[in-house]
Amino acid sequence: MLAGLRRILRVRHVPAVSQIKVPPNLADVLKAYTKEVIRQQPADILEFSAKYFAHLSKASDLTSDFIPPTVSQIRQVNVQLRANQLLPAAQLLDLCKGTGVHEGTLKKVWQLGNFGTDAKLNPLEVLMLMLTMTANELPTVVNNMFRAFGGEGARLETPMFIQLVTLLSKWDKSLTVQKCNALKESLDGSESLVFKDVQNHAVFQDLMSTSADAKAPES
């Protein structure tokens, strides 16, 4: 009986600190996760965590066959589109493949966007998700937006700029509805823009600063 109690109460050996092997990317993963928890303040942290890491795992599984799309490729697809036209997913896939976008990249885009393969899609929504893959920093993504969708001199009509920023907000949660509306109101009366016009804009700078706070790793 005493032997049985000893087995029950036996403390499992805990390795010394020097024997513990910490995965090299553990700190970065936990830092990014902690920032998302603080930023989004989920009511149910367990449910949020499950979804967060499931999404992270899903994205990670696709990176082995992923080549970031270029701004030039996105622009080439865009010039073949008609305004406000929904396209069958298969047709949009063919357009993207025709410009050289990697098939593994398109698979990642479709999975992350939950676009499906049979539905009709808003091409701009797909292209804006692709655009977020061209750079890590939001200001660069916005600059690329002017390059990909702008006309001569990378100039965008203001309503088009607002539409694209609104689509971008679906993929970047720091772009809240309130901030997008504030940007829209601040640009009221402006007919067209280049990146420099918004780069030094007070509302845009505040928006970029908020995004950097949410995304940038601590030094």
Side-chain angles (χ1 to χ4, degrees):
M1 182 175 178
L2 289 176
L5 285 174
R6 289 194 188 98
R7 283 196 297 271
I8 294 171
L9 297 175
R10 185 180 296 140
V11 178
R12 187 176 179 180
H13 172 69
V14 178
V17 173
S18 60
Q19 296 177 309
I20 297 175
K21 294 183 179 180
V22 178
N25 61 341
L26 178 62
D28 290 337
V29 170
L30 293 179
K31 187 182 294 184
Y33 162 73
T34 302
K35 286 192 173 186
E36 281 301 303
V37 171
I38 293 172
R39 183 166 69 87
Q40 297 196 31
Q41 297 291 311
D44 187 333
I45 192 168
L46 293 180
E47 181 182 2
F48 171 84
S49 300
K51 290 181 178 179
Y52 175 87
F53 285 107
H55 177 81
L56 192 65
S57 176
K58 182 179 177 181
S60 179
D61 288 343
L62 297 168
T63 56
S64 59
D65 192 25
F66 172 72
I67 300 175
T70 66
V71 176
S72 176
Q73 289 169 336
I74 296 171
R75 181 174 180 81
Q76 288 177 56
V77 176
N78 182 59
V79 297
Q80 300 179 64
L81 302 175
R82 294 182 180 178
N84 302 318
Q85 181 188 33
L86 297 179
L87 284 183
Q91 184 177 347
L92 185 54
L93 276 168
D94 286 341
L95 283 176
C96 293
K97 290 177 183 177
T99 66
V101 180
H102 192 266
E103 190 167 344
T105 301
L106 292 172
K107 181 180 178 181
K108 176 175 182 178
V109 169
W110 251 251
Q111 285 194 257
L112 291 179
N114 293 316
F115 291 129
T117 55
D118 299 323
K120 285 192 173 183
L121 305 174
N122 176 358
L124 291 181
E125 185 176 347
V126 177
L127 293 181
M128 285 306 297
L129 177 53
M130 290 172 60
L131 195 74
T132 65
M133 301 173 179
T134 63
N136 293 324
E137 300 297 329
L138 185 56
T140 307
V141 171
V142 174
N143 187 21
N144 289 344
M145 185 175 75
F146 279 89
R147 294 169 54 204
F149 299 98
E152 184 177 353
R155 180 172 290 275
L156 277 170
E157 294 183 0
T158 302
M160 181 63 169
F161 170 74
I162 296 299
Q163 181 184 358
L164 293 174
V165 169
T166 302
L167 289 173
L168 181 60
S169 69
K170 181 174 182 177
W171 312 119
D172 191 311
K173 299 306 181 184
S174 66
L175 297 172
T176 63
V177 173
Q178 293 82 357
K179 290 173 183 174
C180 288
N181 287 339
L183 185 61
K184 180 179 179 180
E185 291 174 7
S186 69
L187 296 173
D188 188 36
S190 172
E191 294 183 358
S192 64
L193 303 160
V194 294
F195 179 64
K196 190 176 291 186
D197 294 331
V198 297
Q199 185 179 20
N200 299 319
H201 197 287
V203 174
F204 184 77
Q205 286 184 335
D206 177 63
L207 188 152
M208 294 300 103
S209 174
T210 304
S211 173
D213 290 342
K215 288 187 170 186
E218 295 174 357
S219 56

